[in-house]
Amino acid sequence: AQSVTQLDSQVPVFEEAPVELRCNYSSSVSVYLFWYVQYPNQGLQLLLKYLSGSTLVKGINGFEAEFNKSQTSFHLRKPSVHISDTAEYFCAVSDREQAGTALIFGKGTTLSVSS
Amino acid sequence: NAGVTQTPKFQVLKTGQSMTLQCAQDMNHEYMSWYRQDPGMGLRLIHYSVGAGITDQGEVPNGYNVSRSTTEDFPLRLLSAAPSQTSVYFCASSYWDANTGELFFGEGSRLTVL
């Protein structure tokens, strides 16, 4: 069964600093990878996804992620964060056999941006 | 389009009571799923459906029941509520092709079992 490990439960950073949120997944078979963001008391919103093609994926709000098959990683990055990026971030995976049906999520990383 | 609509948004139950969380989507999506979110645990898949009449278990199905009689609706039933089922529940729907793959989430239903 698939599993996702988000290596940091909390990441505190200062405004305008770069940030990387780390995600590793378990399976070596072909997968689809996603990052979702959840703002306080809200549902989940898709940040970006890797389905195929270029391993560098750009998403909304200036975020990007790189798919690394050999390291089974999909780390999320932003070169300069804002206070408004404070939220919980979830990495998720779906293997190709279950594509689109449901996702397996990591436990989340809380990003706290302060001034 | 309303997207994915969950009701109720808040509910308090006593141990042993039963209830149904409703989920409806108006996007004609084939796939629907239910997750529960607990602090420090992320989202865990309860049940999912790939179309009307077809359901399957996820990671944490015990104590929950689902059915999918129409494309639009995917209710989640708690048969005999337990305090361990206190959580925030999210319903999601999706339509899959090689260029999409996004799950659309409802706003969540916060359930407290006393």
Side-chain angles (χ1 to χ4, degrees):
Chain A
Q2 288 281 0
S3 67
V4 176
T5 301
Q6 292 185 241
L7 296 161
D8 306 291
S9 59
Q10 298 192 13
V11 175
V13 295
F14 289 108
E15 194 173 20
E16 298 183 7
V19 71
E20 178 180 78
L21 306 184
R22 297 179 294 166
C23 172
N24 287 103
Y25 62 96
S26 63
S27 178
S28 61
V29 300
S30 295
V31 295
Y32 300 116
L33 294 157
F34 305 82
W35 275 99
Y36 280 82
V37 61
Q38 184 181 35
Y39 298 104
N41 299 313
Q42 294 188 23
L44 278 77
Q45 179 184 5
L46 181 69
L47 269 181
L48 48 78
K49 62 192 175 191
Y50 171 78
L51 304 182
S52 64
S54 173
T55 57
L56 183 62
V57 180
K58 293 189 184 298
I60 62 172
N61 301 340
F63 283 94
E64 64 181 31
E66 185 156 19
F67 170 57
N68 188 320
K69 187 175 182 179
S70 62
Q71 297 186 3
T72 60
S73 68
F74 191 54
H75 300 333
L76 180 71
R77 302 185 182 97
K78 187 170 182 177
S80 175
V81 295
H82 302 290
I83 298 284
S84 59
D85 291 323
T86 294
E88 190 154 19
Y89 292 79
F90 293 97
C91 181
V93 64
S94 172
D95 64 47
R96 298 220 165 184
E97 288 185 358
Q98 285 199 307
T101 59
L103 298 179
I104 301 301
F105 284 84
K107 294 184 178 181
T109 297
T110 301
L111 176 63
S112 301
V113 183
S114 56
S115 56
Chain B
N1 286 350
V4 179
T5 303
Q6 292 183 232
T7 56
K9 288 186 168 42
F10 300 94
Q11 183 72 49
V12 178
L13 290 178
K14 294 181 180 178
T15 297
Q17 287 185 316
S18 62
M19 77 157 298
T20 299
L21 298 176
Q22 301 291 345
C23 176
Q25 54 95 5
D26 62 359
M27 297 173 282
N28 201 32
H29 286 169
E30 294 176 79
Y31 308 134
M32 297 186 74
S33 47
W34 276 102
Y35 297 84
R36 59 177 290 174
Q37 183 179 23
D38 303 292
M41 299 297 292
L43 280 81
R44 291 180 291 172
L45 179 64
I46 304 172
H47 286 284
Y48 65 97
S49 169
V50 298
I54 306 170
T55 63
D56 207 347
Q57 297 181 350
E59 302 169 84
V60 288
N62 292 341
Y64 306 96
N65 206 353
V66 293
S67 59
R68 183 97 180 270
S69 55
T70 67
T71 299
E72 294 79 17
D73 300 300
F74 191 44
L76 179 72
R77 297 182 186 85
L78 280 70
L79 308 173
S80 177
S84 61
Q85 294 178 303
T86 293
S87 188
V88 180
Y89 292 85
F90 287 97
C91 179
S93 73
S94 63
Y95 169 77
W96 185 263
D97 66 32
N99 297 313
T100 61
E102 177 179 356
L103 263 65
F104 294 84
F105 285 86
E107 293 187 351
S109 297
R110 185 175 295 273
L111 175 66
T112 301
V113 182
L114 302 176

